[in-house]
Amino acid sequence: KNPYLDVSQPGSYLAKLSSGCDSAFVFYQVGSSSIKVQVQKDLFEIKLGENIQIDASVSNSGNQTNFQWIDPQAGSILCTTCLSTSAQPFNDLQYIAIASNELGCTDSALVRVRVKKDRNIYFPNVINPQNAQTEGNGYFYASGDPFTIIEKLSVYSRWGEKLFENSHVALNDPYIGWNGIIRGQAANPGVYVWVAEVLYLDGVRETFQGDVTVVR
């Protein structure tokens, strides 16, 4: 047989073992154990690309604590075994702080993150290259969320000839854009066509296209 006793309180317990005419007594000393996980902040609302600080604390009646953050976006947490660490989530998600001790007790707590994704990018429709040294409107470049990457920015003539291209550049930097120069010469005033391939931090890709007018 497999007799058992469900113990709900700490204390000393006596078990009698019998086999025929023989018997023996076994004493059990049962102690209590508990573990509690708490997070300092359980809800974040951030913009795509921002970092957050996530903090947890553990109360443990045992002698050993095992702690870990469960990261649904692998690599987004800087240190998964640290009570306090930073994280950069790209999507809405839940981080789980989980702790256990050597006595088998386990507890967990949730940190929810909501990520606002601003995919608005601005491309100018008029540039004046004569202002390139003193004013931003002397360059054709993209502006918007600083964490967005322009994988490729190309400018063409109306007949499809490629006049300018730059790759893997950040937004909001005029000097990586087109300054109205074609093969060392100032572009004639007129309308030019552009195409931009954009990569967002969460892996989404998007293509923009339009035209820009050069004035002098």
Side-chain angles (χ1 to χ4, degrees):
K1 305 298 182 180
N2 297 302
Y4 69 91
L5 175 64
D6 187 5
V7 177
S8 59
Q9 297 292 332
S12 298
Y13 293 84
L14 174 64
K16 180 180 180 180
L17 306 178
S18 299
S19 177
C21 296
D22 296 327
S23 62
F25 294 91
V26 179
F27 290 90
Y28 293 93
Q29 185 67 37
V30 179
S32 63
S33 176
S34 64
I35 193 166
K36 180 68 174 178
V37 179
Q38 293 180 303
V39 293
Q40 182 173 335
K41 185 176 181 180
D42 62 2
L43 176 62
F44 290 85
E45 295 184 351
I46 64 173
K47 294 180 180 180
L48 179 63
E50 290 184 340
N51 287 277
I52 58 174
Q53 181 74 23
I54 51 178
D55 301 285
S57 60
V58 179
S59 301
N60 180 20
S61 64
N63 297 318
Q64 180 179 345
T65 300
N66 299 310
F67 178 83
Q68 184 178 10
W69 290 100
I70 304 301
D71 184 0
Q73 179 192 308
S76 72
I77 295 179
L78 181 62
C79 176
T80 58
T81 57
C82 300
L83 289 172
S84 296
T85 187
S86 63
Q88 188 184 42
F90 297 155
N91 299 289
D92 294 352
L93 51 72
Q94 291 183 340
Y95 293 123
I96 304 175
I98 185 168
S100 61
N101 62 22
E102 77 280 6
L103 300 174
C105 295
T106 302
D107 192 33
S108 62
L110 291 177
V111 174
R112 295 174 294 159
V113 184
R114 298 172 182 167
V115 180
K116 180 181 178 182
K117 300 181 180 182
D118 181 3
R119 304 198 192 278
N120 294 322
I121 300 178
Y122 170 75
F123 295 87
N125 55 15
V126 176
I127 62 170
N128 184 348
Q130 290 178 318
N131 297 334
Q133 300 302 318
T134 57
E135 298 180 28
N137 70 346
Y139 292 85
F140 176 74
Y141 68 102
S143 58
D145 188 328
F147 297 105
T148 302
I149 296 296
I150 300 293
E151 287 203 308
K152 185 180 296 184
L153 176 63
S154 306
V155 178
Y156 301 86
S157 70
R158 287 179 292 175
W159 298 274
E161 179 188 5
K162 184 183 292 185
L163 307 176
F164 170 85
E165 185 172 277
N166 205 349
S167 301
H168 304 290
V169 294
L171 274 66
N172 307 316
D173 183 357
Y175 300 104
I176 56 85
W178 182 47
N179 61 357
I181 300 297
I182 303 175
R183 293 184 289 274
Q185 302 295 321
N188 292 324
V191 177
Y192 296 82
V193 178
W194 59 267
V195 177
E197 299 173 13
V198 176
L199 175 63
Y200 301 95
L201 271 179
D202 58 356
V204 173
R205 298 175 185 274
E206 193 170 3
T207 299
F208 295 84
Q209 58 186 2
D211 57 67
V212 56
T213 299
V214 173
V215 296
R216 293 187 184 277

